[in-house]
Amino acid sequence: MSHAPSPAPAVTAHTLPSYLQADNLGPWGIYLQQVDRVTPYLGHLSRWVETLKRPKRALIVDVPIELDNGTVAHFEGYRVQHNTSRGPGKGGVRFHQDVTLSEVMALSAWMSVKNAAVNVPYGGAKGGIRVDPKKLSMGELERMTRRYTSEIGIIIGPTKDIPAPDVNTNEQVMAWMMDTYSMNSGSTATGVVTGKPVDLGGSLGRREATGRGVFTVGVEAANHIGLEIKGARIAVQGFGNVGGIAGKLFAEAGARVVAVQDHGGTIVREAGLDVPALLAHVRETGSVAGFPGAEKVADDTFWGVPCDILIPAALEGQITAANAGRIQARMVIEGANGPTTPEADDILHERNVLVLPDVIANAGGVTVSYFEWVQDFSSFFWSEDEINARLVRIMKEAFGAVWNVAQDNKVSLRTATFIVACKRILHAREMRGLYP
Ligand code: GLU
């Protein structure tokens, strides 16, 4: 007796596997919504839009290390290459207890958009390990970094995918990654990561680059809306490499940093905080908590603090429907990746608060990463003035182009940045064609 084969389930080219579908609350779901918003503006390139909804490649690795107490711990690590149509993958690596595959997928996709927005010749990638690095000793951190680098070594490389620092990773972590990759491949490959120490093929100005970019686009946008930087009140969430530097540059330009929040708490000072002293305090104690001369307030009051410019420079999902209505600022500059949920974006838009989106506002870091990579390839290093001048030129030009697209199409700066970037990515995709 023969059985007629049961009909195969219908498969359409557009059915996304479950792990790629929107988890509306999570970063990947937010990213997919952003792609949907841009699709009507892509013209004939919308034929390729599905490309943006699927990472090209996602690697999950087990990272076992021996702890100092002799036991073996396993961490889960990821490297996702979202798109490589315009060049090798590029994007940071974060160590954080909340890292998930879907978060890294979204962060890798935002790198594709960011790199295309400032027109550096990269695709987008991101990596991470789910770990609280504050609980590791220096030796454990080094062993974990090296094992992770070895595991993702099959897909990274100076012409394939170039990691960099992100949340809780720094120059030392990049030095270990560079060394591990180099030892495994048999020759010193400085161009495999960026954000390295200056003595090891790093670039002058890289550490400050993201904050400098935040400041640069902030000043440009302020000019457009007639907001005077001198005397402007600034509130900053996250006072590390991004928020700390941006705060310093705004203060040097005559603004007042009136509120700062980080993982240790929230401090305010209406007359303006002494930013260099606060940076030194954070370097010594690890957080803004206990800074002399500032008033400590409840964390939730941060969002309603009277200010002109708000700079979220910590993690995703901070500005939500629950606090967007209380924000006093005229302008939000996204130093972090993905700090504003789509509902909050809409609330801010209705309330006439200008949002400078992550994909352009924090692109200064990867822009100087690009300079670092170019310097490593040519073994010829530039002066800091040259680097800063080139950074400012790229940021201003990219922001100006996005501003015009937003005006012409009457869309938000986020959608405008997506229009510029996605057109570049999908044009490259179309020109390259499908192969094999
Ligand atoms: N982690 C940074 C970002 O999110 C920098 C990435 C890079 O330099 O490759 O943009």
Side-chain angles (χ1 to χ4, degrees):
M1 200 173 90
S2 70
H3 290 279
S6 53
V11 176
T12 71
H14 300 288
T15 307
L16 290 171
S18 59
Y19 63 91
L20 292 184
Q21 277 164 26
D23 46 346
N24 279 321
L25 301 171
W28 179 251
I30 291 173
Y31 164 74
L32 290 181
Q33 279 190 27
Q34 292 166 345
V35 174
D36 286 341
R37 283 186 182 187
V38 77
T39 306
Y41 300 92
L42 296 178
H44 79 281
L45 291 171
S46 62
R47 172 168 185 249
W48 295 97
V49 77
E50 197 66 16
T51 303
L52 299 171
K53 297 187 176 182
R54 300 161 185 259
K56 174 184 176 62
R57 197 176 274 136
L59 183 63
I60 304 177
V61 294
D62 175 34
V63 185
I65 61 158
E66 191 168 318
L67 298 178
D68 293 346
N69 66 13
T71 60
V72 177
H74 291 256
F75 301 99
E76 191 159 293
Y78 312 93
R79 184 72 188 172
V80 177
Q81 295 168 351
H82 172 260
N83 187 276
T84 56
S85 292
R86 302 180 64 257
K90 182 88 191 84
V93 169
R94 67 171 57 179
F95 294 165
H96 195 274
Q97 57 277 15
D98 297 331
V99 165
T100 61
L101 175 62
S102 114
E103 182 196 33
V104 178
M105 279 168 23
L107 291 164
S108 72
W110 285 325
M111 286 311 303
S112 299
V113 175
K114 187 187 305 186
N115 293 336
V118 286
N119 214 0
V120 291
Y122 295 131
K126 200 86 174 196
I129 304 181
R130 184 156 61 248
V131 61
D132 180 356
K134 292 184 182 73
K135 298 207 169 112
L136 299 183
S137 69
M138 225 18 198
E140 290 165 341
L141 188 68
E142 176 173 354
R143 292 196 289 283
M144 183 186 74
T145 302
R146 288 186 181 279
R147 181 61 188 244
Y148 167 72
T149 308
S150 277
E151 294 296 337
I152 65 165
I154 53 173
I155 61 168
I156 65 169
T159 59
K160 290 159 78 176
D161 178 5
I162 305 110
D166 197 78
V167 175
N168 292 335
T169 56
N170 57 19
E171 293 177 3
Q172 175 62 79
V173 170
M174 293 306 117
W176 290 326
M177 289 188 76
M178 187 276 269
D179 180 70
T180 306
Y181 180 87
S182 296
M183 297 314 282
N184 286 346
S185 61
S187 63
T188 294
T190 51
V192 67
V193 293
T194 58
K196 299 179 296 295
V198 171
D199 290 340
L200 274 182
S203 177
L204 294 168
R206 174 62 187 86
R207 197 184 308 152
E208 299 80 16
T210 312
R212 190 173 295 279
V214 164
F215 171 72
T216 304
V217 296
V219 171
E220 288 295 293
N223 287 339
H224 280 293
I225 62 169
L227 172 64
E228 179 98 51
I229 296 295
K230 207 167 160 39
R233 296 158 305 170
I234 319 268
V236 190
Q237 187 195 39
F239 216 59
N241 190 38
V242 182
I245 301 294
K248 177 169 169 273
L249 292 172
F250 274 110
E252 284 169 5
R256 269 185 295 151
V257 177
V258 294
V260 177
Q261 173 171 89
D262 73 3
H263 59 93
T266 306
I267 58 169
V268 295
R269 187 165 189 267
E270 169 54 29
L273 294 153
D274 177 345
V275 175
L278 181 58
L279 285 167
H281 178 84
V282 171
R283 253 195 316 276
E284 274 157 37
T285 67
S287 107
V288 300
F291 182 61
E295 188 190 338
K296 181 178 170 16
V297 294
D299 281 340
D300 197 49
T301 60
F302 174 77
W303 302 107
V305 161
C307 66
D308 302 294
I309 300 175
L310 173 66
I311 308 177
L315 291 169
E316 302 96 72
Q318 298 300 300
I319 304 180
T320 65
N323 58 31
R326 276 185 281 147
I327 287 173
Q328 309 276 313
R330 285 182 63 192
M331 185 159 95
V332 172
I333 318 177
E334 294 186 336
N337 291 309
T340 311
T341 66
E343 305 81 62
D345 238 349
D346 292 341
I347 294 169
L348 294 174
H349 188 74
E350 275 159 31
R351 296 185 56 231
N352 222 359
V353 180
L354 184 67
V355 177
L356 312 190
D358 49 6
V359 279
I360 188 92
N362 71 29
V366 74
T367 301
V368 177
S369 277
Y370 165 56
F371 299 160
E372 178 173 335
W373 183 74
V374 168
Q375 292 170 82
D376 287 339
F377 267 105
S378 57
S379 298
F380 177 74
F381 291 86
W382 314 347
S383 73
E384 190 159 359
D385 285 349
E386 205 172 341
I387 285 156
N388 289 343
R390 285 181 196 252
L391 168 65
V392 167
R393 195 171 71 216
I394 288 182
M395 295 299 292
K396 279 188 180 174
E397 274 176 23
F399 184 73
V402 163
W403 184 271
N404 291 340
V405 170
Q407 300 291 310
D408 292 350
N409 293 284
K410 299 192 171 38
V411 292
S412 68
L413 288 171
R414 191 183 314 281
T415 300
T417 312
F418 268 70
I419 293 175
V420 171
C422 295
K423 279 186 174 170
R424 284 190 180 136
I425 297 166
L426 297 181
H427 178 61
R429 216 260 155 281
E430 181 177 64
M431 296 290 283
R432 286 180 68 158
L434 294 172
Y435 176 85

